[in-house]
mmCIF file of all heavy atoms in Angstrom:
data_model
loop_
_atom_site.group_PDB
_atom_site.id
_atom_site.type_symbol
_atom_site.label_atom_id
_atom_site.label_comp_id
_atom_site.label_asym_id
_atom_site.label_seq_id
_atom_site.Cartn_x
_atom_site.Cartn_y
_atom_site.Cartn_z
ATOM 1 N N ARG A 160 50.224 62.603 69.199
ATOM 2 C CA ARG A 160 51.574 62.411 69.756
ATOM 3 C C ARG A 160 52.503 61.739 68.765
ATOM 4 O O ARG A 160 53.721 61.927 68.837
ATOM 5 C CB ARG A 160 51.490 61.604 71.053
ATOM 6 C CG ARG A 160 50.774 62.418 72.110
ATOM 7 C CD ARG A 160 51.162 62.072 73.524
ATOM 8 N NE ARG A 160 50.636 63.111 74.401
ATOM 9 C CZ ARG A 160 50.050 62.919 75.552
ATOM 10 N NH1 ARG A 160 49.927 61.685 76.031
ATOM 11 N NH2 ARG A 160 49.598 63.933 76.276
ATOM 12 N N ALA A 161 51.914 60.959 67.853
ATOM 13 C CA ALA A 161 52.744 60.311 66.834
ATOM 14 C C ALA A 161 52.943 61.226 65.629
ATOM 15 O O ALA A 161 53.516 60.808 64.620
ATOM 16 C CB ALA A 161 52.090 58.993 66.406
ATOM 17 N N GLY A 162 52.438 62.457 65.720
ATOM 18 C CA GLY A 162 52.606 63.425 64.630
ATOM 19 C C GLY A 162 51.727 63.116 63.429
ATOM 20 O O GLY A 162 52.012 63.559 62.318
ATOM 21 N N LEU A 163 50.661 62.340 63.631
ATOM 22 C CA LEU A 163 49.857 61.866 62.493
ATOM 23 C C LEU A 163 48.525 62.581 62.319
ATOM 24 O O LEU A 163 47.896 62.476 61.276
ATOM 25 C CB LEU A 163 49.589 60.362 62.661
ATOM 26 C CG LEU A 163 50.794 59.444 62.471
ATOM 27 C CD1 LEU A 163 50.453 58.011 62.909
ATOM 28 C CD2 LEU A 163 51.248 59.450 61.017
ATOM 29 N N LEU A 164 48.072 63.304 63.332
ATOM 30 C CA LEU A 164 46.698 63.831 63.296
ATOM 31 C C LEU A 164 46.586 65.181 62.610
ATOM 32 O O LEU A 164 47.226 66.154 63.011
ATOM 33 C CB LEU A 164 46.159 63.966 64.734
ATOM 34 C CG LEU A 164 44.743 64.531 64.839
ATOM 35 C CD1 LEU A 164 43.715 63.579 64.249
ATOM 36 C CD2 LEU A 164 44.404 64.867 66.290
ATOM 37 N N LYS A 165 45.764 65.235 61.555
ATOM 38 C CA LYS A 165 45.430 66.527 60.978
ATOM 39 C C LYS A 165 44.004 66.893 61.410
ATOM 40 O O LYS A 165 43.804 67.835 62.138
ATOM 41 C CB LYS A 165 45.554 66.488 59.453
ATOM 42 C CG LYS A 165 45.420 67.845 58.811
ATOM 43 C CD LYS A 165 45.947 67.813 57.382
ATOM 44 C CE LYS A 165 45.829 69.162 56.719
ATOM 45 N NZ LYS A 165 46.053 69.041 55.288
ATOM 46 N N ARG A 166 43.007 66.146 60.940
ATOM 47 C CA ARG A 166 41.651 66.391 61.430
ATOM 48 C C ARG A 166 40.868 65.086 61.471
ATOM 49 O O ARG A 166 41.169 64.142 60.742
ATOM 50 C CB ARG A 166 40.935 67.429 60.589
ATOM 51 C CG ARG A 166 40.751 67.049 59.165
ATOM 52 C CD ARG A 166 39.833 68.032 58.445
ATOM 53 N NE ARG A 166 39.899 67.767 57.027
ATOM 54 C CZ ARG A 166 40.744 68.388 56.191
ATOM 55 N NH1 ARG A 166 41.552 69.322 56.644
ATOM 56 N NH2 ARG A 166 40.776 68.057 54.932
ATOM 57 N N ALA A 167 39.862 65.059 62.347
ATOM 58 C CA ALA A 167 39.122 63.820 62.581
ATOM 59 C C ALA A 167 37.626 64.079 62.534
ATOM 60 O O ALA A 167 37.150 65.088 63.043
ATOM 61 C CB ALA A 167 39.508 63.248 63.946
ATOM 62 N N ARG A 168 36.907 63.154 61.911
ATOM 63 C CA ARG A 168 35.451 63.264 61.794
ATOM 64 C C ARG A 168 34.849 61.941 62.258
ATOM 65 O O ARG A 168 35.209 60.882 61.722
ATOM 66 C CB ARG A 168 35.045 63.534 60.340
ATOM 67 C CG ARG A 168 35.754 64.744 59.704
ATOM 68 C CD ARG A 168 35.316 66.056 60.341
ATOM 69 N NE ARG A 168 35.922 67.234 59.781
ATOM 70 C CZ ARG A 168 36.783 68.041 60.444
ATOM 71 N NH1 ARG A 168 37.163 67.740 61.673
ATOM 72 N NH2 ARG A 168 37.243 69.122 59.890
ATOM 73 N N GLY A 169 33.952 61.987 63.223
ATOM 74 C CA GLY A 169 33.454 60.738 63.784
ATOM 75 C C GLY A 169 31.940 60.677 63.858
ATOM 76 O O GLY A 169 31.270 61.695 64.028
ATOM 77 N N THR A 170 31.422 59.448 63.719
ATOM 78 C CA THR A 170 29.991 59.212 63.919
ATOM 79 C C THR A 170 29.826 58.289 65.110
ATOM 80 O O THR A 170 30.463 57.236 65.188
ATOM 81 C CB THR A 170 29.358 58.573 62.661
ATOM 82 O OG1 THR A 170 29.563 59.476 61.570
ATOM 83 C CG2 THR A 170 27.876 58.338 62.857
ATOM 84 N N LEU A 171 28.998 58.706 66.055
ATOM 85 C CA LEU A 171 28.835 57.985 67.309
ATOM 86 C C LEU A 171 27.483 57.292 67.338
ATOM 87 O O LEU A 171 26.448 57.946 67.169
ATOM 88 C CB LEU A 171 28.895 58.960 68.498
ATOM 89 C CG LEU A 171 30.223 59.569 68.906
ATOM 90 C CD1 LEU A 171 30.970 60.244 67.794
ATOM 91 C CD2 LEU A 171 30.008 60.522 70.068
ATOM 92 N N LEU A 172 27.492 55.974 67.573
ATOM 93 C CA LEU A 172 26.248 55.237 67.774
ATOM 94 C C LEU A 172 26.089 55.082 69.276
ATOM 95 O O LEU A 172 26.832 54.330 69.910
ATOM 96 C CB LEU A 172 26.310 53.884 67.064
ATOM 97 C CG LEU A 172 26.227 53.961 65.539
ATOM 98 C CD1 LEU A 172 27.579 54.323 64.937
ATOM 99 C CD2 LEU A 172 25.759 52.634 64.965
#
Side-chain angles (χ1 to χ4, degrees):
R160 293 207 168 137
L163 290 170
L164 179 67
K165 189 163 180 193
R166 62 171 169 267
R168 307 292 181 247
T170 301
L171 287 53
L172 288 81

